[in-house]
Amino acid sequence: MTETNTRQAGGEGTVAVVGSLNMDLVVRVPRLPVAGETLAGHTFAQVPGGKGGNQAVAAARLGARVAMIGRVGADGNGAALRARLEAEAIDCSALATCEHAPTGVALISVDEAGRNTIVIVAGSNGELTPGDIALHEAALAQASVLVCQLETPPATVQAALETGRRLGKTVILNPAPAVGPLPDAWLPLIDYLIPNEVEAAELTGMPVGSPQQAGEAARALRSRGARNVLITLGASGVLAALEAGTTHFEAPRVVAVDTTAAGDTFIGAFAAQLARATPVEAAVRFAQRAAALSVTRAGAQPSIPTLTELDAMR
């Protein structure tokens, strides 16, 4: 059993998510457009999203108690996102309403092969501050696992990582969207760094086009201080460089309809399992099954499976 599996100081089964909440504006298209091109879309939908919100919903549906720390705007989108989280029994007492910035939005195009492009506008997510982390430290103290992403300001992410480490929590960072290497001071604060192949390439400056290359990138990130690195590779599985060694986990075979929130589903599911002190290898496989089921359905949060649905796949 690794250090990160034994550090469960209080709050067993509870996940705290610090991160973004967006309203997703999703259009289905025959193919992804090229620069300067106008395409006719098939359908349009407005659905709850944001990496923080998606990961919180995934963790809640897959067996964890969840607390959400973030900000929404004082508008209809914000009210809808809050109501959606509350319907999932997620604790929203640390979810603030921002009076001077609108709720974040994501503009998402999904092609017939399930691939997507995403443009986000931070809105109220950009107003989450280190002061919010300090204000809601009690919520972090009550959790066993902390999950962060990069859709909120860097100073706020750093404050959350530092607080999680100081409180002895298992700290997960999903470095998305990644625009370059992470600050050197962050890596030692992270128990599980979980990028996809594009993000891993941004973080390391190394090609990540195969499991072998992913292994090299993951080991490079571990050498900089991250305790464990999991690089999600879509249909090529997950490359995990762990304290116990490097393992390539093959992906379940499914027909993808929409890959939106597949990574978020993986992270939420993985966090939920760690919060229950599941061994990391079993947690990875569980999270892979959850992500695989999610890509067979459309939308972000609507695609995230429940524990009952996942159990039915066995």
Side-chain angles (χ1 to χ4, degrees), residues 60-83:
R61 289 184 185 172
L62 293 164
R65 296 188 299 275
V66 179
M68 182 75 215
I69 301 173
R71 286 189 175 230
V72 293
D75 50 32
N77 284 341
L81 292 176
R82 183 185 294 274

Side-chain angles (χ1 to χ4, degrees), residues 238-302:
V238 173
L239 192 290
L242 307 172
E243 291 176 306
T246 300
T247 304
H248 177 222
F249 295 85
E250 296 284 349
R253 299 301 174 190
V254 296
V255 177
V257 171
D258 183 353
T259 58
T260 305
D264 296 334
T265 300
F266 178 92
I267 290 164
F270 183 71
Q273 288 290 293
L274 290 187
R276 299 172 68 178
T278 300
V280 62
E281 294 84 0
V284 171
R285 292 190 177 93
F286 176 91
Q288 284 186 296
R289 290 196 295 116
L293 182 54
S294 78
V295 303
T296 66
R297 306 191 285 207
Q301 290 178 22

Side-chain angles (χ1 to χ4, degrees), residues 18 51 55 147-152 157 161 171-183 186-187 190 192-204 221 224 226 228-232 263-264 266-267:
V18 175
K51 285 193 166 295
Q55 291 168 17
V147 180
C148 301
Q149 324 80 32
L150 299 182
E151 289 184 341
T152 53
V157 176
L161 297 177
V171 178
I172 297 173
L173 176 65
N174 171 217
V179 295
L182 295 173
W186 287 21
L187 275 297
I190 300 167
Y192 293 94
L193 181 65
I194 311 181
N196 64 21
E197 65 268 43
V198 175
E199 293 150 3
E202 288 284 350
L203 297 181
T204 62
L221 291 166
R224 290 181 54 200
N228 303 277
V229 180
L230 280 61
I231 300 179
T232 58
D264 296 334
F266 178 92
I267 290 164

Side-chain angles (χ1 to χ4, degrees), residues 46-58:
Q46 185 168 305
V47 295
K51 285 193 166 295
N54 293 344
Q55 291 168 17
V57 168

Side-chain angles (χ1 to χ4, degrees), residues 300-313:
Q301 290 178 22
S303 74
I304 298 171
T306 64
L307 194 57
T308 299
E309 290 173 322
L310 205 58
D311 287 344
M313 289 179 61

Side-chain angles (χ1 to χ4, degrees), residues 163-185:
T163 302
R165 172 57 62 239
R166 174 168 53 79
L167 294 174
K169 306 306 176 181
T170 297
V171 178
I172 297 173
L173 176 65
N174 171 217
V179 295
L182 295 173
D184 288 337

